[in-house]
Amino acid sequence: MRAALILSLLPMAAPADVLECRLFPEGGGAELLVAFGIDRTQFAPPLNPDEPPRRQESRVAMGDETFAAEPLLFDDGRRGFWTGDRQDGALLMMIAPDSRATLSTQDGAVFTGDCEDLQ
């Protein structure tokens, strides 16, 4: 469902990670669905050293909201995104190589759960 939205926002020829996550607030509460894609070609080194830095961007669907975020990829297999541009405050999402996920909000709320690779 949300993955279809994310897939529609990514260039189809690009190698991409498409993730859908089911998260719950610490202490219990309603499920939060988060889906986003990471276009790995955004992380490729420049072909020419004179190229300007590339803007790395992912589209995120979270609940009823869709927004842009900066994708994160680490050598140890962790993935995620960060954004400080939302009206409701900054978010940091980190997904471990075993698919366990944590979403932290600017106001201190923490959501945890699991993610599934859809592509």
Side-chain angles (χ1 to χ4, degrees):
M1 93 188 137
R2 302 231 189 275
L5 170 66
I6 299 302
L7 283 170
S8 71
L9 299 172
L10 290 172
M12 294 311 286
D17 297 359
V18 178
L19 298 133
E20 187 170 70
C21 306
R22 297 167 119 28
L23 306 173
F24 296 90
E26 285 187 337
E31 177 182 67
L32 176 64
L33 295 175
V34 178
F36 69 102
I38 298 176
D39 176 356
R40 288 181 174 264
T41 61
Q42 295 180 51
F43 293 88
L47 298 175
N48 178 337
D50 296 328
E51 278 185 40
R54 296 179 190 173
R55 180 157 194 246
Q56 298 170 334
E57 184 176 285
S58 287
R59 299 298 302 167
V60 178
M62 184 176 81
D64 296 330
E65 182 182 7
T66 301
F67 54 89
E70 181 179 344
L72 304 171
L73 286 176
F74 296 92
D75 291 339
D76 64 3
R78 290 178 297 146
R79 300 173 284 181
F81 66 82
W82 177 85
T83 184
D85 296 336
R86 293 177 60 248
Q87 180 178 344
D88 295 336
L91 294 174
L92 174 64
M93 174 93 166
M94 293 301 302
I95 304 166
D98 67 359
S99 298
R100 288 180 299 132
T102 302
L103 175 73
S104 302
T105 68
Q106 184 174 340
D107 64 4
V110 176
F111 295 77
T112 59
D114 292 298
C115 295
E116 178 182 0
D117 276 292
L118 300 178
Q119 180 174 335

